[in-house]
Amino acid sequence: VIDLGALLLILLFAWKFSGQVLKPVEENRLKQVEFVAAASHELRSPLAVILSCASALEVAEENDRSAFFQSIQSEGKRMKRLIDDMLSLSNADTQAWSMHFEDTQLDTLLLDIFDKYLPIMQNKGQHLKICLEDSLLPHCQCDRQRMEQVLGILLDNAASYTPEAGDIQLGISSARGRLLLWVADNGPGIPDASKKIIFDRFYRGDASRKDKRHFGLGLCIAKELVQLHQGRIWVEDNQPAGSVFY
Protein backbone atom coordinates (compact mmCIF):
# COMPACT_ATOMS: atom_id res chain seq x y z
CA VAL A 1 0.00 0.00 0.00
CA ILE A 2 2.86 2.35 0.86
CA ASP A 3 4.61 1.53 -2.42
CA LEU A 4 1.39 2.04 -4.34
CA GLY A 5 0.77 5.35 -2.54
CA ALA A 6 4.31 6.49 -3.31
CA LEU A 7 3.89 5.53 -6.96
CA LEU A 8 0.64 7.49 -7.18
CA LEU A 9 2.31 10.53 -5.63
CA ILE A 10 5.17 10.28 -8.13
CA LEU A 11 2.71 10.01 -11.03
CA LEU A 12 0.70 12.96 -9.71
CA PHE A 13 3.83 15.04 -9.31
CA ALA A 14 5.07 14.06 -12.78
CA TRP A 15 1.68 14.91 -14.34
CA LYS A 16 1.52 18.30 -12.65
CA PHE A 17 5.18 19.11 -13.33
CA SER A 18 4.89 18.05 -16.97
CA GLY A 19 1.81 20.19 -17.38
CA GLN A 20 3.65 23.24 -16.04
CA VAL A 21 6.61 22.59 -18.31
CA LEU A 22 4.48 22.02 -21.41
CA LYS A 23 2.09 24.91 -20.81
CA PRO A 24 4.38 27.66 -22.19
CA VAL A 25 5.28 25.37 -25.10
CA GLU A 26 1.59 24.92 -25.93
CA GLU A 27 0.94 28.65 -25.54
CA ASN A 28 3.82 29.40 -27.90
CA ARG A 29 2.47 26.86 -30.40
CA LEU A 30 -0.96 28.50 -30.32
CA LYS A 31 0.61 31.92 -30.84
CA GLN A 32 2.53 30.59 -33.82
CA VAL A 33 -0.68 29.15 -35.29
CA GLU A 34 -2.46 32.48 -34.78
CA PHE A 35 0.51 34.33 -36.28
CA VAL A 36 0.52 32.19 -39.43
CA ALA A 37 -3.26 32.45 -39.76
CA ALA A 38 -3.20 36.23 -39.39
CA ALA A 39 -0.27 36.56 -41.80
CA SER A 40 -2.05 34.41 -44.37
CA HIS A 41 -5.18 36.53 -44.05
CA GLU A 42 -3.24 39.78 -44.46
CA LEU A 43 -1.34 38.46 -47.50
CA ARG A 44 -4.50 37.16 -49.13
CA SER A 45 -6.18 40.59 -49.19
CA PRO A 46 -3.61 42.49 -51.32
CA LEU A 47 -3.07 39.41 -53.48
CA ALA A 48 -6.78 39.30 -54.29
CA VAL A 49 -6.71 42.97 -55.34
CA ILE A 50 -3.62 42.42 -57.53
CA LEU A 51 -5.18 39.41 -59.30
CA SER A 52 -8.46 41.27 -59.76
CA CYS A 53 -6.74 44.32 -61.25
CA ALA A 54 -4.59 42.12 -63.51
CA SER A 55 -7.74 40.47 -64.86
CA ALA A 56 -9.42 43.83 -65.34
CA LEU A 57 -6.43 45.12 -67.31
CA GLU A 58 -7.10 42.55 -70.03
CA VAL A 59 -10.42 44.14 -70.94
CA ALA A 60 -9.95 47.71 -69.65
CA GLU A 61 -10.02 50.76 -71.86
CA GLU A 62 -6.75 52.63 -72.33
CA ASN A 63 -7.92 55.50 -70.12
CA ASP A 64 -8.74 53.15 -67.24
CA ARG A 65 -5.50 51.20 -67.21
CA SER A 66 -3.53 53.76 -65.22
CA ALA A 67 -5.79 53.31 -62.18
CA PHE A 68 -5.41 49.54 -62.27
CA PHE A 69 -1.62 49.84 -62.54
CA GLN A 70 -1.56 52.16 -59.53
CA SER A 71 -3.65 49.71 -57.51
CA ILE A 72 -1.30 46.84 -58.38
CA GLN A 73 1.75 48.89 -57.37
CA SER A 74 0.12 50.02 -54.13
CA GLU A 75 -0.94 46.51 -53.12
CA GLY A 76 2.49 45.15 -54.12
CA LYS A 77 4.16 47.65 -51.79
CA ARG A 78 1.70 46.66 -49.09
CA MET A 79 2.67 42.99 -49.43
CA LYS A 80 6.38 43.87 -49.42
CA ARG A 81 5.98 45.83 -46.19
CA LEU A 82 4.16 42.95 -44.52
CA ILE A 83 6.76 40.40 -45.64
CA ASP A 84 9.61 42.66 -44.47
CA ASP A 85 7.91 43.03 -41.08
CA MET A 86 7.44 39.28 -40.78
CA LEU A 87 11.11 38.66 -41.62
CA SER A 88 12.09 41.24 -39.00
CA LEU A 89 10.07 39.44 -36.34
CA SER A 90 11.49 36.11 -37.45
CA ASN A 91 14.99 37.48 -36.93
CA ALA A 92 13.96 38.70 -33.50
CA ASP A 93 12.58 35.26 -32.57
CA THR A 94 15.82 33.56 -33.62
CA GLN A 95 17.93 36.31 -32.00
CA ALA A 96 19.49 36.99 -35.40
CA TRP A 97 18.69 40.69 -35.41
CA SER A 98 21.89 42.60 -36.21
CA MET A 99 22.56 45.56 -33.91
CA HIS A 100 25.30 48.16 -34.37
CA PHE A 101 25.63 50.30 -31.26
CA GLU A 102 27.41 53.62 -31.58
CA ASP A 103 27.72 56.92 -29.76
CA THR A 104 24.61 58.85 -30.89
CA GLN A 105 23.26 62.31 -30.21
CA LEU A 106 19.53 61.62 -30.01
CA ASP A 107 18.35 65.22 -30.27
CA THR A 108 20.16 65.45 -33.62
CA LEU A 109 18.53 62.16 -34.64
CA LEU A 110 15.10 63.59 -33.77
CA LEU A 111 15.77 66.71 -35.85
CA ASP A 112 16.65 64.52 -38.84
CA ILE A 113 13.44 62.51 -38.44
CA PHE A 114 11.42 65.70 -38.00
CA ASP A 115 12.76 67.08 -41.29
CA LYS A 116 11.91 63.79 -43.01
CA TYR A 117 8.31 63.54 -41.75
CA LEU A 118 7.33 67.22 -41.78
CA PRO A 119 6.38 67.32 -45.50
CA ILE A 120 4.51 64.01 -45.14
CA MET A 121 2.40 65.40 -42.30
CA GLN A 122 1.87 68.70 -44.11
CA ASN A 123 0.54 66.87 -47.16
CA LYS A 124 -2.05 65.26 -44.87
CA GLY A 125 -2.97 68.61 -43.36
CA GLN A 126 -1.47 67.63 -39.99
CA HIS A 127 0.82 69.69 -37.75
CA LEU A 128 4.10 68.08 -36.64
CA LYS A 129 5.97 69.71 -33.76
CA ILE A 130 9.25 68.84 -32.08
CA CYS A 131 10.09 69.32 -28.40
CA LEU A 132 13.77 69.42 -27.36
CA GLU A 133 15.47 70.41 -24.13
CA ASP A 134 17.35 73.69 -24.03
CA SER A 135 20.48 72.03 -22.68
CA LEU A 136 22.57 69.57 -24.69
CA LEU A 137 21.52 65.98 -24.06
CA PRO A 138 24.09 63.31 -23.19
CA HIS A 139 25.21 60.93 -25.90
CA CYS A 140 23.51 57.53 -26.06
CA GLN A 141 24.90 54.16 -27.05
CA CYS A 142 22.31 52.88 -29.50
CA ASP A 143 21.74 51.60 -33.00
CA ARG A 144 20.88 54.81 -34.85
CA GLN A 145 19.07 53.12 -37.74
CA ARG A 146 17.00 50.96 -35.38
CA MET A 147 16.00 53.97 -33.30
CA GLU A 148 14.97 55.76 -36.51
CA GLN A 149 12.90 52.67 -37.33
CA VAL A 150 11.16 52.79 -33.93
CA LEU A 151 10.32 56.48 -34.18
CA GLY A 152 9.24 56.03 -37.80
CA ILE A 153 6.79 53.31 -36.74
CA LEU A 154 5.35 55.55 -34.03
CA LEU A 155 5.06 58.55 -36.37
CA ASP A 156 3.42 56.47 -39.11
CA ASN A 157 0.99 55.13 -36.52
CA ALA A 158 0.21 58.65 -35.23
CA ALA A 159 -0.29 59.99 -38.76
CA SER A 160 -2.74 57.18 -39.57
CA TYR A 161 -4.98 57.85 -36.58
CA THR A 162 -4.71 61.63 -36.27
CA PRO A 163 -7.45 63.56 -38.11
CA GLU A 164 -6.76 66.28 -40.65
CA ALA A 165 -5.52 69.49 -39.00
CA GLY A 166 -4.56 67.37 -35.96
CA ASP A 167 -1.38 67.77 -33.92
CA ILE A 168 1.49 65.30 -33.63
CA GLN A 169 4.46 65.89 -31.36
CA LEU A 170 7.92 64.31 -31.33
CA GLY A 171 9.98 64.91 -28.21
CA ILE A 172 12.88 63.90 -25.99
CA SER A 173 13.98 64.72 -22.44
CA SER A 174 16.47 63.42 -19.87
CA ALA A 175 16.07 62.74 -16.16
CA ARG A 176 18.15 60.81 -13.63
CA GLY A 177 20.50 59.48 -16.30
CA ARG A 178 17.69 58.18 -18.50
CA LEU A 179 16.46 59.40 -21.88
CA LEU A 180 12.73 59.57 -22.57
CA LEU A 181 11.44 59.82 -26.13
CA TRP A 182 7.80 60.22 -27.07
CA VAL A 183 5.36 60.59 -29.95
CA ALA A 184 2.03 62.19 -29.06
CA ASP A 185 -1.13 62.67 -31.09
CA ASN A 186 -4.69 63.91 -30.61
CA GLY A 187 -6.41 61.01 -32.37
CA PRO A 188 -9.14 58.74 -30.96
CA GLY A 189 -6.92 57.32 -28.21
CA ILE A 190 -6.54 53.75 -26.98
CA PRO A 191 -8.86 52.02 -24.45
CA ASP A 192 -7.24 51.06 -21.13
CA ALA A 193 -7.94 47.37 -21.76
CA SER A 194 -5.88 47.52 -24.96
CA LYS A 195 -2.85 49.41 -23.67
CA LYS A 196 -0.94 46.29 -22.60
CA ILE A 197 -1.78 44.14 -25.62
CA ILE A 198 -1.46 46.77 -28.34
CA PHE A 199 2.16 45.65 -28.87
CA ASP A 200 1.10 42.05 -29.60
CA ARG A 201 1.54 40.72 -33.13
CA PHE A 202 -1.33 41.44 -35.52
CA TYR A 203 -3.26 43.24 -32.78
CA ARG A 204 -6.13 45.36 -34.05
CA GLY A 205 -8.09 47.72 -31.86
CA ASP A 206 -11.13 46.97 -33.97
CA ALA A 207 -11.28 43.62 -35.75
CA SER A 208 -13.67 45.07 -38.33
CA ARG A 209 -11.24 47.78 -39.43
CA LYS A 210 -10.16 47.53 -43.05
CA ASP A 211 -7.33 50.06 -42.93
CA LYS A 212 -4.90 48.79 -45.58
CA ARG A 213 -1.94 50.63 -44.12
CA HIS A 214 -1.77 48.63 -40.90
CA PHE A 215 -1.02 44.96 -40.30
CA GLY A 216 -0.65 45.01 -36.50
CA LEU A 217 3.11 44.34 -36.70
CA GLY A 218 4.68 47.79 -36.44
CA LEU A 219 4.25 48.29 -32.70
CA CYS A 220 5.41 44.73 -32.04
CA ILE A 221 8.62 45.41 -34.00
CA ALA A 222 9.10 48.68 -32.11
CA LYS A 223 8.80 46.82 -28.81
CA GLU A 224 11.40 44.22 -29.88
CA LEU A 225 13.85 46.95 -30.93
CA VAL A 226 13.40 48.95 -27.73
CA GLN A 227 13.96 45.85 -25.61
CA LEU A 228 17.18 45.14 -27.53
CA HIS A 229 18.30 48.56 -26.29
CA GLN A 230 17.51 47.53 -22.70
CA GLY A 231 14.63 49.99 -22.69
CA ARG A 232 10.87 49.77 -22.48
CA ILE A 233 7.96 51.15 -24.49
CA TRP A 234 4.46 51.95 -23.32
CA VAL A 235 1.45 54.11 -24.14
CA GLU A 236 -0.57 56.56 -22.05
CA ASP A 237 -3.53 58.85 -22.66
CA ASN A 238 -2.86 62.28 -24.07
CA GLN A 239 -4.81 65.26 -22.76
CA PRO A 240 -7.45 66.21 -23.71
CA ALA A 241 -7.53 63.43 -26.33
CA GLY A 242 -5.25 61.03 -28.12
CA SER A 243 -2.28 58.88 -27.10
CA VAL A 244 1.37 59.28 -26.14
CA PHE A 245 3.84 56.51 -26.90
CA TYR A 246 6.91 56.65 -24.64
Side-chain angles (χ1 to χ4, degrees):
V1 171
I2 293 175
D3 290 343
L4 182 60
L7 181 60
L8 290 173
L9 286 175
I10 291 173
L11 291 173
L12 180 62
F13 174 78
W15 174 77
K16 186 173 182 181
F17 180 75
S18 299
Q20 292 177 344
V21 171
L22 294 175
K23 184 177 180 181
V25 176
E26 178 64 16
E27 290 177 350
N28 184 65
R29 186 189 69 82
L30 291 175
K31 287 183 179 180
Q32 292 293 335
V33 171
E34 292 174 358
F35 181 85
V36 172
S40 300
H41 174 75
E42 295 291 356
L43 285 169
R44 190 182 301 115
S45 298
L47 183 59
V49 175
I50 291 173
L51 294 175
S52 176
C53 290
S55 298
L57 277 172
E58 294 180 349
V59 296
E61 299 291 337
E62 189 65 30
N63 295 334
D64 298 329
R65 291 193 171 192
S66 176
F68 290 121
F69 276 123
Q70 289 179 359
S71 295
I72 290 174
Q73 289 180 337
S74 175
E75 295 303 301
K77 291 178 180 178
R78 178 186 171 194
M79 289 186 69
K80 181 181 182 300
R81 177 181 172 184
L82 175 58
I83 292 170
D84 288 343
D85 287 347
M86 292 174 64
L87 290 174
S88 295
L89 290 176
S90 177
N91 288 334
D93 291 339
T94 58
Q95 298 181 349
W97 225 330
S98 60
M99 302 290 291
H100 303 284
F101 291 92
E102 58 183 341
D103 206 24
T104 304
Q105 194 71 43
L106 286 182
D107 48 2
T108 303
L109 185 148
L110 259 68
L111 285 170
D112 292 341
I113 295 177
F114 175 80
D115 291 338
K116 176 182 176 181
Y117 276 87
L118 182 60
I120 297 175
M121 306 296 188
Q122 288 177 338
N123 288 337
K124 294 184 176 183
Q126 299 165 338
H127 307 291
L128 178 62
K129 302 176 183 178
I130 188 169
C131 181
L132 302 173
E133 289 194 339
D134 295 331
S135 57
L136 193 65
L137 292 172
H139 285 222
C140 174
Q141 283 291 323
C142 71
D143 187 316
R144 179 184 175 91
Q145 290 186 347
R146 296 301 188 184
M147 289 306 301
E148 288 180 352
Q149 186 177 358
V150 170
L151 293 172
I153 289 170
L154 297 181
L155 285 171
D156 285 336
N157 193 67
S160 296
Y161 290 100
T162 301
E164 188 175 352
D167 296 319
I168 299 172
Q169 187 181 76
L170 173 67
I172 185 173
S173 62
S174 64
R176 298 186 297 278
R178 293 181 177 273
L179 290 167
L180 179 68
L181 298 92
W182 70 86
V183 172
D185 64 67
N186 60 352
I190 300 169
D192 291 338
S194 300
K195 285 185 172 64
K196 290 185 178 180
I197 58 175
I198 195 172
F199 298 98
D200 291 349
R201 299 180 185 188
F202 289 106
Y203 169 79
R204 289 182 184 273
D206 181 357
S208 65
R209 287 181 63 249
K210 298 186 183 297
D211 187 347
K212 296 182 179 180
R213 294 166 295 181
H214 282 273
F215 307 111
L217 288 176
L219 291 178
C220 178
I221 292 173
K223 178 182 177 182
E224 296 281 354
L225 291 173
V226 169
Q227 289 179 339
L228 287 173
H229 283 85
Q230 304 300 314
R232 68 187 187 98
I233 184 171
W234 71 97
V235 61
E236 295 180 3
D237 292 331
N238 196 11
Q239 298 300 329
S243 303
V244 189
F245 284 85
Y246 293 99

